[in-house]
Structures are given as C-alpha cells and as structure tokens.
Amino acid sequence: MVNGLEWLLEMQEYAPDGLISNQGGAERWLTDRNNIAIMLNQGPGDLILPVYAQGLEDRIGIAQEFNNDDGIGGMFAGSPVAMAKESDNKELAWEWIKFSVSEDFQRYLFEEANAMPVIKAAEDWESYKEVEKMMNPTIEAMRTPWTPRYPWASSQPRFILTSEIEAALAGKRSAKEALDKAQEESKAWLDNR
C-alpha cells in the first residue's frame, strides 16, 4: 500500500493542475476535450454508456485491478442482494431475489439504469454486444474481487482513507504517515461497531 501511494504521489507530476479539487481537467473527463490519461476509482456503471454516448470508445479503456497469486483482487463495491435472517416474509423475499437476478430485470437495469448485469446471459444481448469492447473487461474484473464487501468499501473507513490519500497528495503527510493514520482511525471505527 505504501509503495502504491508513493507511486501515485510520483505520478501526480503528470496530472492536470487542480487534481485534488477535481478541477483543471475533471470537467473534461468523458468529453472529446479530455486531458486525463488515467482515472482511478471510476466504476464501469458510471463509464460505459457515457463513453459510447460521447463516441469515445476508441479513446477510453478499462484496466484490470491487481490480483494476488490466486487471481483474486480488487474491491467489490456493489450492493449485494440478501434476505435478512429475521425476515417475516421469507417467501416474498426469496421471490424478489429470484426476480432481481432474472434475465428480464437484469437487462432492464443494464439498458435503462446503466447498472452492470450479473448474469452470464448478458453476453448474448444485442445491447451488450454494442458495447462489448468495454463490457468484456468489466465482466472479467467482476469475476475476481474479494467478497463479501469489506469495511474499506463502506461508509466511514472509505472516507478516512480518501482523506488521508488527499493529505498525502497535498503534501501534508508522507505516504507511510497517511496510511498509518488511515489504518489507526479505521481500526478505531471498526472496534466501536
């Protein structure tokens, strides 16, 4: 993590001015005037259809996240569908789960709400094939994340980490100091849950 953040700090030299405030380049992202070569933390649900709508499919690509020796890596940042153990309506909840992963509903979410499909049948849809250049690496990336969703993906720890990375980018802390502080604050948050 420290090596990765140090690399990011070195790469900052090549970023547009205003990197931390999201100005100086971010307003050009996903336009034909784009001056950003790498966008970190850009989910495919926010990317694929706008890229095609702007005609930028030849200029934007999706890179895979780093994986460990077992081929696992990255963060699952989706919203899992689950039934509460204490549910008073288990039969109805089960029907909703089955419906939510049905081909019709998944196709609707993909085509109308820009959500990533979670079923293999999606690869046969015409709407998928129209954007498959970006969908294929997206589906590949969706097969490898750690699961279930872990604390860094949720609420306060995510913002703690973001704040500390921004502090390092602003020159207020070294990479190690920022990550040590993020670890300490996140652990305190988890211990109080």
Side-chain angles (χ1 to χ4, degrees):
M1 294 286 285
V2 172
N3 288 341
L5 183 50
E6 286 173 349
W7 176 84
L8 189 60
L9 295 175
E10 290 172 18
M11 292 299 295
Q12 183 173 267
E13 161 186 356
Y14 304 101
D17 291 337
L19 167 75
I20 296 173
S21 65
N22 236 7
Q23 297 298 309
E27 61 272 7
R28 294 181 180 183
W29 178 243
L30 294 183
T31 73
D32 59 0
R33 296 176 32 236
N34 175 45
N35 64 347
I36 299 173
I38 301 170
M39 176 68 86
L40 301 174
N41 198 23
Q42 177 77 46
D46 301 325
L47 184 68
I48 292 174
L49 295 183
V51 163
Y52 280 87
Q54 296 282 344
L56 302 174
E57 58 272 16
D58 292 330
R59 293 181 58 188
I60 306 286
I62 296 174
Q64 296 303 314
E65 298 178 288
F66 296 108
N67 292 334
N68 65 18
D69 292 339
D70 296 326
I72 302 298
M75 177 178 68
F76 174 69
S79 299
V81 177
M83 180 189 336
K85 184 177 181 180
E86 297 82 16
S87 173
D88 292 332
N89 298 297
K90 286 185 175 53
E91 294 80 17
L92 186 57
W94 177 239
E95 291 304 315
W96 166 252
I97 289 173
K98 290 190 296 187
F99 172 72
S100 71
V101 296
S102 70
E103 188 168 352
D104 287 338
F105 189 68
Q106 287 292 304
R107 186 189 315 238
Y108 173 81
L109 287 176
F110 175 62
E111 294 173 357
E112 304 298 330
N114 206 17
M116 295 299 98
V118 297
I119 58 172
K120 190 161 182 58
E123 295 173 351
D124 297 326
W125 304 339
E126 284 304 314
S127 55
Y128 179 102
K129 290 176 183 176
E130 290 171 6
V131 295
E132 72 182 344
K133 179 180 175 187
M134 294 186 80
M135 280 302 300
N136 287 343
T138 298
I139 296 298
E140 181 182 341
M142 290 170 60
R143 291 181 173 128
T144 63
W146 292 102
T147 190
R149 189 172 183 171
Y150 61 101
W152 285 109
S154 63
S155 59
Q156 196 58 30
R158 179 179 183 174
F159 297 109
I160 292 169
L161 182 59
T162 299
S163 295
E164 289 307 313
I165 289 172
E166 289 172 354
L169 288 168
K172 295 181 189 272
R173 286 187 247 309
S174 71
K176 180 160 181 17
E177 290 168 340
L179 292 174
D180 285 348
K181 189 167 187 284
Q183 180 70 30
E184 181 183 325
E185 288 183 23
S186 297
K187 184 176 182 323
W189 182 85
L190 285 169
D191 289 345
N192 288 316
R193 295 289 109 204

